[in-house]
Amino acid sequence: MGLTKQYLAYKPVSSFNIIASARANISFVSINDVVGRYVVVAAAEKVLVWDMRIGEKVAEFVRDKQEVTYLRTSPDQKHLAVGYADGLVELFSVPSKQSVCSFASHRSAISALNFDLLGLKLVSGGLDNDLVVSDIVAQTGKCRLTGHSAPVTQACFMQRYQDVVVSSSKDTQVKFWNIETQCCFKTIVDHRTEVWGIALMRNDDFLVCATADTQLSVYRVAPITDGSVVPVAATAEHPEDESTVSPFRCTVAGSIQRAGHGRTVNLVTDANGQVLGCHGTDRKIELFYFCTQDESIKKLTKRMKKLNPNKKPAAEETNVNQLSLTDEIKRLAPVPTPEKVKSFDLLLGSRNELRICCTFLKNFVQLFTLDVEAKGAEPASLYAVQKQGHPSEARSVSFSSDNLAIASGSAESLKLWSRATQTVLRTVDTGGYVVSTCFVPGDRHVLVGLKNGQLLLVDVVPGEVIERIDAHEKELWSIVLTPDMHGCVTGGGDTTVKFWSFELIPNPNGGGGKVLSLLHKNTLKLEETVLCVKISPNGKYIAIALLDTTVKIFFLDSHKFYLSLYGHKLPVVSMDISYDSTLIITGSADRTIKIWGMDFGDCHRSLLAHDNTITAVQFIPSTHMFFSCAKDGKLKQWDADSFQKIITLPGHLGEAHALAVSPNGKYVVSCGSDRTLRLFHRTDEPLVLQDVQEEEREELENATLATGEESTVPGLPGLRLPSKKTIGSEKGAESILECLEVSKQYEEEGCTGPLPPLMFAYSVTNTDDFLLIVLSRVRSSDLEESLLLLPFNAVCELLERIPKLTTTRKDQTELICKVVLFLFRVHQKPIVSNQVLLPVIQKIVQTLQGAVGELRDMVGTNFHAAQMLQRELEENDGCVLFRDATKQRIQRDRRRRRREASKRTFVQIVK
């Protein structure tokens, strides 16, 4: 098909202005082995790494348009797990900034993420009330834990007890799960309100729970041994603690009274579980230090000595059972913050320096430091990143005439941005809520309209407000330049339209030279609130949108009435006039865009353009094409001649407030409620409308699963896979079915004819390699769901091919085992009842056992051979191989021996 009319595609350049999203958490991350300097935050759909020392962005991780809801760095700081609003968890490599794998785990947003001690497992909690444990090495889900009746607020692994996960939820319960049995073996039901967070302290000695009140509940976790003594009160209150299923006992140790107000929002601990931080709804972060056992016993001895100064306590009289929470927990100095904290993270350094990084609702990040051991130490602010973005949502944007600068206004400031680098050039405090902006000819000044009706004249070079004019009594909704560039027109909520001219006046501050000022020339009084004003480029007409849903057009020179455009059901919020003054477009709160003729005021077409209130429309210069944005967050390009939509651009995660098209038509910038400014540029790539419409239809079809949301198997009603059905799993099932069909046809022909095109595309020559390469190309996290979608006859075909695959391709033994075990587990009853499959199953068991045995022997041989080579090289060269790993292991073993020695010292022997 030939191109009837050529359109050029607009593509996103970048999004900027946002420093840190308020919805997700913040975390420290080490880059190039530098600790405590870099923090990772969410920024709408991106993840940014900020260098706090120099206040610059050093890296970003991007997936797609879904919003980031949770972050967690791995213990070795090499991986970053990112949870999204669609329930997907993406694992990124920190050094390479690339995605390693993804887990489609939940059906709604991720609310909790945590790695285990070695960073090999990942537990995720979601708003769908489920917990999913994923295997990082195998890149697949391990199990799904279902039992909470409300969204999960926090989940973490226990360090001392393997394969145990602790989770908290808004259903007021704290649950302990065993991963191997996939069941909950202990539940704490002491709380009467939502549990907003949990933290395991001091190597799992304590469990701290945060609820909706101002107290933190503390539980003591102790292993169950034959000789352990259980307090009578604890036994009476918690008879379930005597359960033989649980490897430990969890008893109430007391509570910590917070000094802050409101519910506990976040509960955060450092990596070693020594320092606990929490904050409520006020401007304060409270810190608690959990002392070691030696420090606790010293405090207990001092306390007992103060109580009875005449008696000298013997060393054996002071034991662990006498310790109270006041001996084991020390309150540190609270961190006062300038605003309400949204999230924070802690890092305890080797010199007992505690670093606290915080994100705030007003779009900035701050880093504090505190010396834990020094007496009377107060926290100090180290660095802050806040000038790189507006503290609140940007409401207005405009381009300079040379297309190089962008002005954006928010509730308290005006910022000027470089279009090329997306960095802040100037920040001007406006002292009011900005609702409209406009560059003055020459681009040295900016006109700013405020919500209180003031008109500001801002000088760009020094970044100062040089004049404040009380232009209107209410909101100054619109500023537009006159075609001769000698003045401007403003429209306000006080039902007036005022005309101004630019004048050069002597500098009121003294000194030589003149400064720009505005001179009021005329006022047009109307019956309703003015929402928008536009002047036709030929200078003949002025169009005024009023609150009564009409647009009145007047002659610009005489101010006489010319036309009235009526037809919208709700007020017109934005409008624009084409370059040749023949068309006017109006965007209304009724979700429609109407295209009118300027000569007779007739409506050419009414377009149902968006799903919510349209907030801005603007023509592309020298064309009849225009852009529109609305509160549904979308940006769309339209053709006013053919009345067709050209393309929908990736818009904002929330509402879109305003947009601006550059004077040369090459760039479009928009602002929205997700705090981002999004820049698009026109490429040289041509668009064909039919192709664009087809792509949008395919995208819409792909968004809905063809086989439904549920994973159901006959005879297995309680199937709970640790994954969910995705487009990838459906495509994987289709490719496996297609592979089996092509292989069957090729084998029926005797494998002598020409290769099928699909096998040729995969560069394989036989059906065995064809099946294996198709299976290996299905993403690990989607493999189980893909196999689950296969019909039983395809499962039988697949199983019949397994024995030959096992003997010919022993390098793929792991993949074959994974496929066979899952199919056996899911289709156990029909496979067992099928007599034809009996010899096939016997052959599968025999060949797979041999292949797995060979693989295990090979791994063991290689492992011991590598150890022998290492010893020989170390003896010959006198140096230690893998020095860093060996050093870390020695330090870890030393810490473990020290902990065990301290425990042995205070063991109480009971006969």
Side-chain angles (χ1 to χ4, degrees):
M1 187 190 101
L3 292 175
T4 55
K5 186 166 186 177
Q6 185 170 334
Y7 299 102
L8 296 180
Y10 281 82
K11 293 293 176 71
V13 177
S14 68
S15 60
F16 51 102
N17 178 61
I18 188 166
I19 299 172
S21 294
R23 184 172 181 183
N25 62 319
I26 187 172
S27 178
F28 279 104
V29 64
S30 64
I31 296 179
N32 300 327
D33 296 328
V34 178
V35 182
R37 177 174 170 178
Y38 301 97
V39 295
V40 57
V41 296
E45 74 279 4
K46 293 182 180 180
V47 176
L48 306 180
V49 179
W50 290 98
D51 185 340
M52 295 301 296
R53 182 178 295 177
I54 60 176
E56 289 184 0
K57 180 176 68 177
V58 294
E60 67 178 39
F61 304 87
V62 184
R63 177 186 153 233
D64 58 9
K65 286 298 295 179
Q66 293 297 329
E67 185 179 7
V68 178
T69 57
Y70 209 88
L71 303 166
R72 183 67 69 187
T73 51
S74 63
D76 59 1
Q77 300 289 313
K78 291 183 179 177
H79 292 95
L80 174 68
V82 183
Y84 291 89
D86 60 349
L88 191 135
V89 179
E90 194 92 15
L91 195 68
F92 292 96
S93 170
V94 174
S96 66
K97 317 293 185 297
Q98 299 297 319
S99 173
V100 177
C101 62
S102 60
F103 304 101
S105 305
H106 297 271
R107 289 166 179 81
S108 55
I110 304 294
S111 57
L113 282 174
N114 245 318
F115 286 89
D116 67 345
L117 185 61
L118 298 176
L120 302 179
K121 296 190 194 77
L122 177 71
V123 61
S124 59
L127 300 183
D128 57 356
N129 311 348
D130 288 350
L131 292 160
V132 174
V133 179
S134 305
D135 191 333
I136 302 297
V137 180
Q139 297 185 1
T140 57
K142 196 173 176 65
C143 62
R144 182 181 292 274
L145 307 173
T146 306
H148 283 294
S149 57
V152 176
T153 54
Q154 189 55 272
C156 54
F157 286 93
M158 296 192 78
Q159 297 182 8
R160 191 185 299 175
Y161 305 96
Q162 287 189 350
D163 294 335
V164 175
V165 170
V166 193
S167 65
S168 64
S169 169
K170 290 184 182 179
D171 61 4
T172 74
Q173 296 178 354
V174 177
K175 289 181 178 290
F176 295 83
W177 308 82
N178 189 323
I179 298 175
E180 293 301 321
T181 60
Q182 299 183 21
C183 67
C184 171
F185 62 86
K186 184 187 284 291
T187 304
I188 297 176
V189 292
D190 297 347
H191 306 103
R192 296 291 174 263
T193 55
E194 299 95 341
V195 182
W196 290 101
I198 53 173
L200 290 165
M201 305 301 299
R202 215 177 73 183
N203 193 26
D204 298 346
D205 283 344
F206 295 98
L207 172 68
V208 184
C209 304
T211 56
D213 53 17
T214 58
Q215 287 186 339
L216 304 178
S217 306
V218 183
Y219 295 85
R220 196 182 298 275
V221 180
I224 294 178
T225 57
D226 295 335
S228 61
V229 178
V230 183
V232 179
T235 310
E237 289 178 12
H238 303 279
E240 71 276 6
D241 284 344
E242 293 301 309
S243 171
T244 56
V245 179
S246 174
F248 52 84
R249 181 178 294 107
C250 191
T251 56
V252 178
S255 61
I256 303 172
Q257 181 62 46
R258 288 176 38 237
H261 302 293
R263 72 170 179 89
T264 306
V265 179
N266 278 319
L267 201 63
V268 179
T269 176
D270 69 312
N272 297 322
Q274 289 292 116
V275 180
L276 176 72
C278 67
H279 74 88
T281 55
D282 52 357
R283 302 179 180 184
K284 185 191 298 182
I285 296 176
E286 296 178 67
L287 301 170
F288 305 93
Y289 180 77
F290 280 69
C291 305
T292 61
Q293 224 160 43
D294 294 341
E295 294 170 343
S296 302
I297 287 182
K298 283 181 183 177
K299 288 180 71 175
L300 174 61
T301 308
K302 287 182 181 178
R303 185 163 61 85
M304 294 179 70
K305 191 174 180 181
K306 285 182 181 178
L307 292 173
N308 196 351
N310 298 325
K311 182 182 177 182
K312 293 184 179 180
E316 60 271 10
E317 290 181 8
T318 308
N319 56 44
V320 180
N321 290 335
Q322 294 176 312
L323 291 173
S324 67
L325 280 186
T326 55
D327 300 321
E328 298 190 279
I329 301 175
K330 181 174 68 173
R331 189 185 291 266
L332 301 177
V335 181
T337 58
E339 295 291 337
K340 286 185 180 180
V341 182
K342 294 305 294 183
S343 71
F344 72 102
D345 195 21
L346 303 175
L347 182 68
L348 187 61
S350 56
R351 297 178 183 175
N352 287 312
E353 182 197 4
L354 182 68
R355 290 204 169 186
I356 308 107
C357 60
C358 313
T359 62
F360 302 90
L361 185 63
K362 290 200 170 180
N363 192 29
F364 69 99
V365 181
Q366 197 161 1
L367 184 65
F368 299 90
T369 181
L370 175 66
D371 192 344
V372 175
E373 287 194 340
K375 285 187 177 181
E378 290 294 327
S381 175
L382 275 182
Y383 311 108
V385 178
Q386 61 185 29
K387 291 184 179 180
Q388 288 82 347
H390 284 286
S392 57
E393 299 172 9
R395 288 284 174 173
S396 175
V397 285
S398 57
F399 262 103
S400 62
S401 61
D402 57 4
N403 314 289
L404 295 179
I406 299 169
S408 63
S410 67
E412 61 286 302
S413 62
L414 173 81
K415 283 186 181 290
L416 296 167
W417 306 81
S418 166
R419 191 262 308 156
T421 60
Q422 294 92 51
T423 55
V424 178
L425 301 175
R426 296 284 186 277
T427 300
V428 183
D429 185 12
T430 57
Y433 199 113
V434 179
V435 291
S436 54
T437 54
C438 178
F439 273 91
V440 175
D443 298 331
R444 286 182 58 96
H445 299 82
V446 180
L447 295 172
V448 180
L450 301 185
K451 206 169 186 177
N452 59 10
Q454 284 187 337
L455 178 62
L456 309 186
L457 187 60
V458 177
D459 193 341
V460 170
V461 178
E464 296 175 351
V465 178
I466 57 175
E467 189 173 6
R468 287 179 181 269
I469 303 169
D470 293 326
H472 294 269
E473 296 174 4
K474 292 185 179 178
E475 301 90 348
L476 200 160
W477 287 121
S478 184
I479 306 173
V480 61
L481 296 176
T482 56
D484 58 4
M485 299 298 175
H486 291 165
C488 66
V489 179
T490 61
D494 56 355
T495 71
T496 61
V497 174
K498 294 190 176 182
F499 297 82
W500 310 82
S501 65
F502 298 126
E503 299 286 341
L504 288 174
I505 62 171
N507 193 343
N509 298 326
K514 294 184 177 182
V515 294
L516 187 69
S517 180
L518 289 174
L519 178 65
H520 181 223
K521 291 175 61 181
N522 207 343
T523 300
L524 179 62
K525 183 71 176 173
L526 294 124
E527 298 82 13
E528 292 283 346
T529 297
V530 177
L531 297 178
C532 186
V533 176
K534 283 292 174 184
I535 299 176
S536 61
N538 60 8
K540 288 181 67 177
Y541 308 109
I542 178 169
I544 304 169
L546 302 176
L547 196 61
D548 61 0
T549 73
T550 63
V551 177
K552 299 284 196 299
I553 302 178
F554 297 86
F555 288 101
L556 184 61
D557 50 1
S558 62
H559 297 174
K560 287 185 178 180
F561 178 75
Y562 172 56
L563 283 173
S564 178
L565 310 179
Y566 53 90
H568 282 289
K569 296 177 182 177
L570 290 172
V572 172
V573 179
S574 178
M575 60 183 176
D576 198 13
I577 301 174
S578 63
Y579 73 101
D580 53 5
S581 304
T582 58
L583 296 176
I584 178 172
I585 51 172
T586 55
S588 168
D590 61 6
R591 303 177 297 168
T592 62
I593 294 175
K594 292 185 186 290
I595 303 170
W596 316 77
M598 284 290 288
D599 44 5
F600 300 109
D602 55 327
C603 181
H604 292 182
R605 185 64 62 94
S606 180
L607 306 170
L608 184 59
H610 290 270
D611 299 329
N612 209 328
T613 300
I614 292 166
T615 53
V617 290
Q618 187 174 348
F619 274 107
I620 300 173
S622 304
T623 68
H624 280 182
M625 292 180 288
F626 64 92
F627 279 96
S628 67
C629 69
K631 287 187 177 181
D632 60 2
K634 295 176 182 176
L635 270 77
K636 296 184 180 181
Q637 185 185 359
W638 307 82
D639 191 337
D641 292 331
S642 62
F643 316 120
Q644 287 184 315
K645 186 187 73 175
I646 299 171
I647 195 171
T648 301
L649 296 175
H652 295 267
L653 296 177
E655 300 177 356
H657 293 322
L659 67 82
V661 182
S662 63
N664 60 5
K666 289 185 178 180
Y667 299 96
V668 179
V669 66
S670 65
C671 60
S673 62
D674 56 0
R675 309 244 176 152
T676 60
L677 296 176
R678 297 180 186 267
L679 183 65
F680 305 87
H681 75 109
R682 188 173 64 203
T683 62
D684 295 330
E685 175 188 342
L687 286 178
V688 180
L689 291 185
Q690 285 83 353
D691 294 348
V692 174
Q693 291 166 3
E694 186 65 31
E695 286 175 9
E696 289 180 358
R697 272 197 300 270
E698 285 180 6
E699 190 177 343
L700 196 62
E701 289 172 3
N702 288 340
T704 57
L705 296 172
T707 56
E709 293 286 342
E710 295 298 321
S711 300
T712 55
V713 175
L716 287 174
L719 183 68
R720 297 196 310 269
L721 290 179
S723 57
K724 71 172 182 179
K725 199 182 296 181
T726 60
I727 304 299
S729 59
E730 287 188 342
K731 289 181 178 177
E734 288 175 6
S735 61
I736 294 172
L737 288 171
E738 195 174 18
C739 167
L740 292 173
E741 186 181 349
V742 170
S743 300
K744 188 177 178 181
Q745 289 178 359
Y746 187 58
E747 286 169 354
E748 285 175 355
E749 296 172 2
C751 301
T752 54
L755 275 177
L758 203 59
M759 290 179 64
F760 186 78
Y762 280 107
S763 304
V764 292
T765 56
N766 57 65
T767 55
D768 296 337
D769 292 344
F770 183 34
L771 179 59
L772 271 178
I773 197 168
V774 167
L775 287 172
S776 62
R777 288 202 176 193
V778 179
R779 198 167 58 181
S780 299
S781 57
D782 289 334
L783 182 60
E784 289 188 353
E785 291 284 351
S786 299
L787 295 173
L788 197 64
L789 290 169
L790 298 179
F792 185 67
N793 59 346
V795 171
C796 296
E797 281 185 48
L798 190 56
L799 289 176
E800 287 170 0
R801 296 177 181 274
I802 293 296
K804 187 181 177 185
L805 282 178
T806 310
T807 53
T808 56
R809 293 294 301 272
K810 294 188 177 180
D811 57 322
Q812 296 287 344
T813 303
E814 185 183 355
L815 176 63
I816 296 169
C817 282
K818 193 184 295 184
V819 171
V820 169
L821 290 175
F822 179 77
L823 291 178
F824 277 8
R825 181 159 59 92
V826 172
H827 301 283
Q828 182 189 5
K829 290 182 180 179
I831 287 175
V832 168
S833 60
N834 194 336
Q835 293 295 324
V836 181
L837 284 178
L838 183 60
V840 175
I841 294 172
Q842 290 174 343
K843 196 178 290 186
I844 286 174
V845 171
Q846 183 182 352
T847 54
L848 268 184
Q849 281 181 344
V852 171
E854 287 182 21
L855 192 63
R856 186 179 61 240
D857 294 342
M858 183 183 69
V859 171
T861 304
N862 291 341
F863 176 68
H864 288 286
Q867 281 188 329
M868 187 184 71
L869 286 172
Q870 180 182 352
R871 285 196 299 270
E872 288 182 0
L873 285 170
E874 287 175 357
E875 288 174 3
N876 294 336
D877 299 344
C879 65
V880 180
L881 287 181
F882 313 113
R883 186 173 179 276
D884 293 339
T886 310
K887 197 172 175 183
Q888 290 177 1
R889 191 191 66 201
I890 291 170
Q891 289 177 352
R892 197 164 55 244
D893 292 344
R894 192 180 296 154
R895 284 197 299 268
R896 180 175 53 78
R897 284 196 296 270
R898 197 181 300 130
R899 282 199 303 267
E900 290 175 355
S902 64
K903 288 173 191 170
R904 283 196 297 270
T905 308
F906 302 111
V907 166
Q908 182 183 12
I909 300 173
V910 179
K911 293 184 181 179

